[in-house]
């Protein structure tokens, strides 16, 4: 890529972005950003301390009156400029995202970055449409209407699998609604969040509206969630950590938005287009090396198509090109770290005792955190590999006989983030979309998302929505305003409290 930069030089001032400028953390401890494709450290920085979180929250609180008091049109104009700056810097963002995450550059260039630019453009327009219920005389004697108001300083925590897109999903609806924000990215992938905040400043968004603190979850993250001046927390990550976030936020009666784990079912009925289902399963299970909470992880295939589906997926997986993320023909990059690669490998290795590894199931011999595309059959519904979130390039395939059984199996995990149904029958498709308990159900596809539509889960996958106008439900306060229309001093209802009619 032509627009590469030296990370150490680019972020020499530090990995905190507070009140419009980069600065160093004050914890006294350092952390390395590691390129998972090589295992080499590319950047060492000072972690954020609770004092840095306090400074970021103070900057956001100071910026709130001006930003929330701006007109919707003014915020919209600023976000349109922001989208333009993001588009101008697309190559820089794609390079940094692939460098810190190991994702193939064709994915960061064609998915992560344009999706983020589109999100910014969408919320630039949505900022003008923060509307409440129309005015009306619902009591007969009063006029009522609804105001939507910004809630204040938002403290958000984003994961490492899609650092750029998750920063956008947290920041954009919050600031479009007039809030200010402090975002804590994952400490292993802070680079594109910092670039994102810098781009906002370049677009003219006022200092303090968007702040980044890069620190450990136990220190910076928990302090941010517990901070008395933070009125809402939005978290994306594992269900286990989400429970801890909820526990801390509840203690201070904060609004909470949680987007947690997933174990997406991929249900193939016997009238499905087999070739489409095979291709969809490979793409849906291997996107971002499987490190996607909506990735296809459990394929349930009706028995007439089962053998052909397994054969087709295995053949296609074996042709997937694993290698250097910056090579234009690479399909699959490494996992985020060697530690995570070993965790994925351990789950597959334990499954050898009760299931069949059809293809993959091993790490290639190199210095990166790579793991081959893996297909597993013969596992039982209650097994670890079917029930637990693996977050790697692993697809488990199980057969089913009746439609009732297929839908029941799809719903048989604690999670409910995403799912897909594969069929050419409209009645089957309608039934699957009604009865599968997930926040998104695709029909004859798996993975595509769009800015105009909401993203969020059921059950242990959390609650609340990212993207779309529905996200404003998370980031606005709804206020009922009621005017008396009678100009009568003594109202008829007063007699229920004192006096007679």
């Amino acid at each position: 890529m032509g627009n590469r930069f030296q990370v150490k030089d680019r972020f020499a001032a530090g990995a905190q972005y507070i009140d419009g400028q980069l600065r160093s953390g004050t914890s006294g401890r350092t952390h390395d950003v590691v390129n998972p494709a090589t295992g080499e450290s590319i950047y060492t920085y000072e972690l954020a301390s609770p004092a840095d979180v306090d400074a970021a929250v103070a900057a956001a609180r100071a910026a709130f009156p001006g930003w929330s008091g701006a007109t919707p049109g003014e915020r919209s104009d600023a976000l349109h400029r922001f989208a333009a700056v993001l588009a101008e810097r697309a190559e820089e963002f794609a390079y940094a995202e692939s460098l810190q995450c190991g994702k193939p550059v064709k994915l960061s260039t064609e998915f992560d970055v344009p999706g983020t630019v589109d999100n910014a453009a969408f919320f630039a327009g949505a900022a003008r449409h923060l509307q409440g219920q129309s005015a009306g005389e619902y009591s007969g004697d009063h006029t009522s209407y609804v105001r939507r108001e910004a809630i204040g300083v938002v403290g958000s925590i984003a994961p490492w699998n899609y650092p750029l897109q998750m920063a956008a999903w947290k920041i954009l609806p919050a600031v479009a609604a007039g809030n200010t924000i402090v975002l804590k990215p994952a400490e292993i992938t802070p680079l594109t969040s910092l670039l994102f905040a810098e781009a906002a400043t370049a677009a003219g968004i006022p200092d303090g509206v968007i702040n980044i603190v890069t620190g450990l979850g136990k220190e910076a993250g928990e302090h941010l969630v517990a901070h008395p001046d933070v009125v809402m927390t939005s978290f994306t990550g594992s269900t286990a950590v989400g429970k801890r976030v909820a526990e801390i936020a509840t203690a201070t009666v904060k609004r909470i938005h949680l987007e947690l784990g997933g174990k997406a079912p991929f249900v193939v009925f016997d009238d499905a287009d087999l070739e489409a289902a095979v291709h969809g399963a490979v793409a849906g299970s291997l996107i971002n090396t499987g490190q996607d909470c909506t990735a296809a992880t459990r394929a349930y295939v009706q028995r007439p198509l089962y053998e052909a589906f397994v054969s087709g997926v295995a053949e296609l997986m074996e042709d997937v090109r694993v290698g250097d993320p910056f090579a234009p023909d690479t399909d699959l990059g490494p996992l985020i770290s060697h530690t995570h690669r070993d965790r994925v490998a351990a789950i597959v290795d334990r499954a050898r005792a009760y299931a069949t590894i059809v293809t993959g199931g091993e790490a290639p011999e190199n210095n990166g955190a790579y793991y081959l595309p893996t297909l597993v059959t013969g596992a039982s519904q209650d097994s670890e590999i079917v029930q637990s979130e693996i977050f790697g390039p692993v697809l488990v395939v199980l057969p089913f006989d009746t439609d009732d059984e297929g839908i029941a199996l799809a719903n048989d995990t604690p999670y409910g983030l995403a799912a897909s149904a594969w069929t050419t029958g409209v009645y089957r498709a309608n039934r699957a979309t009604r009865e599968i308990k997930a926040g998104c159900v695709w029909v004859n596809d798996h993975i595509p998302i769009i800015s105009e539509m909401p993203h969020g889960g059921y059950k242990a996958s959390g609650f609340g929505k990212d993207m779309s106008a529905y996200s404003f439900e998370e980031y606005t306060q709804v206020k009922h305003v009621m005017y008396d229309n009678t100009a009568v001093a003594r109202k008829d209802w007063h007699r229920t409290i004192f006096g007679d009619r």
Side-chain angles (χ1 to χ4, degrees):
M1 303 181 73
N3 193 22
R4 299 192 179 194
F5 57 86
Q6 290 296 319
V7 176
K8 295 176 182 178
D9 296 335
R10 184 67 177 75
F11 299 107
Q16 320 302 324
Y17 197 82
I18 300 172
D19 206 17
Q21 61 182 349
L22 285 169
R23 62 173 75 174
S24 183
T26 61
S27 70
R29 295 186 307 281
T30 60
H31 191 82
D32 287 340
V33 177
V34 175
N35 178 352
T38 64
E40 297 174 346
S41 172
I42 57 174
Y43 178 50
T44 302
Y45 66 92
E46 292 273 351
L47 288 160
S49 69
D52 298 316
V53 174
D54 291 343
V57 172
R61 185 179 181 188
F64 177 72
W67 183 248
S68 62
T71 67
E74 289 168 338
R75 288 197 296 270
S76 176
D77 289 346
L79 289 171
H80 276 299
R81 294 193 302 269
F82 189 16
V85 173
L86 292 172
E88 290 167 4
R89 301 182 181 184
E91 191 173 3
E92 180 179 61
F93 277 102
Y95 170 70
E97 193 78 337
S98 288
L99 187 66
Q100 68 181 353
C101 298
K103 63 183 66 187
V105 72
K106 67 177 181 180
L107 181 66
S108 58
T109 300
E110 299 179 28
F111 182 73
D112 298 72
V113 175
T116 301
V117 174
D118 186 70
N119 262 223
F122 171 79
F123 280 108
R128 289 180 176 265
H129 296 284
L130 279 169
Q131 297 172 346
Q133 189 174 3
S134 59
E137 287 67 51
Y138 301 99
S139 79
D141 291 337
H142 305 82
T143 296
S144 290
Y145 69 88
V146 169
R147 289 176 55 88
R148 280 191 179 273
E149 297 178 349
I151 58 176
V153 177
V154 177
S156 293
I157 300 175
W160 48 257
N161 58 332
Y162 289 104
L164 176 59
Q165 290 207 79
M166 293 299 99
W169 287 15
K170 300 299 183 196
I171 291 170
L172 291 168
V175 300
N179 303 291
T180 56
I181 190 167
V182 178
L183 174 77
K184 192 200 88 65
E187 65 273 10
I188 58 177
T189 55
L191 303 183
T192 43
S193 296
L194 297 170
L195 292 175
F196 192 79
E198 283 189 324
T201 299
I205 292 176
D207 294 348
V209 172
I210 298 172
N211 306 274
I212 309 295
V213 289
T214 310
L216 301 178
K218 284 287 188 181
E219 187 172 11
E222 292 196 2
H223 189 69
L224 177 62
V225 174
H227 200 290
D229 290 334
V230 170
V231 299
M232 173 189 166
T233 188
S234 176
F235 171 80
T236 296
S238 71
T239 298
V241 178
K243 291 177 181 178
R244 174 61 178 158
V245 169
E247 178 185 348
I248 297 169
T250 301
T252 51
V253 199
K254 285 181 172 56
R255 184 178 297 194
I256 312 170
H257 168 216
L258 301 175
E259 198 265 90
L260 307 176
K263 190 71 178 174
F266 186 102
V267 184
V268 182
F269 294 97
D270 58 14
D271 63 346
D273 181 323
L274 179 63
E275 182 182 16
V278 166
H279 282 78
V282 174
S285 64
L286 300 186
I287 184 171
N288 204 36
T289 319
Q291 300 167 125
D292 186 311
C293 48
T294 64
T297 59
R298 302 177 288 138
Y300 297 102
V301 184
Q302 206 151 24
R303 208 169 292 273
L305 295 185
Y306 177 78
E307 294 295 340
F309 179 87
V310 170
S311 176
V313 169
E315 182 179 356
L316 200 54
M317 278 189 169
E318 288 166 2
D319 288 339
V320 169
R321 298 164 295 186
V322 180
D324 176 7
F326 289 102
D329 59 351
T330 291
D331 298 319
L332 195 77
L335 291 160
I336 191 64
S337 69
H338 288 79
T339 298
H340 184 57
R341 190 271 310 274
D342 292 346
R343 176 189 170 276
V344 170
I347 294 173
V348 175
D349 287 343
R350 288 193 292 272
R352 297 179 194 278
Y354 57 80
T356 300
I357 312 303
V358 178
T359 189
E362 61 184 25
E365 294 183 4
N366 57 37
N367 293 327
Y370 289 91
Y371 198 75
L372 296 179
T374 299
L375 180 64
V376 179
T377 61
S380 63
Q381 176 66 14
D382 62 355
S383 62
E384 176 191 31
I385 205 163
V386 173
Q387 291 291 324
S388 298
E389 187 173 31
I390 302 171
F391 230 55
V394 180
L395 177 66
V396 185
V397 186
L398 295 86
F400 70 92
D401 292 304
T402 67
D403 289 16
D404 288 351
E405 181 188 9
I407 291 174
L409 290 169
N411 286 330
D412 185 28
T413 71
Y415 301 105
L417 187 59
S420 62
W422 297 75
T423 175
T424 55
V426 64
Y427 296 108
R428 269 178 162 167
N430 283 339
R431 181 187 178 189
T433 58
R434 285 195 313 271
E435 296 186 13
I436 293 176
K437 305 304 181 187
C440 174
V441 181
W442 291 284
V443 177
N444 296 328
D445 209 341
H446 195 109
I447 288 298
I449 52 176
I450 49 176
S451 298
E452 291 83 358
M453 290 290 111
H455 176 84
Y458 288 23
K459 304 190 293 186
S461 292
F463 48 82
K465 299 300 179 185
D466 289 311
M467 300 197 297
S468 82
Y470 290 99
S471 65
F472 287 136
E473 303 297 326
E474 318 302 323
Y475 296 102
T476 57
Q477 191 71 266
V478 174
K479 177 186 287 184
H480 170 215
V481 179
M482 180 180 263
Y483 284 91
D484 170 58
N485 291 331
T486 67
V488 173
R490 186 170 179 179
K491 307 293 194 292
D492 186 56
W493 71 268
H494 291 177
R495 68 186 174 82
T496 63
I497 311 302
F498 65 94
D500 301 316
R501 185 184 296 275

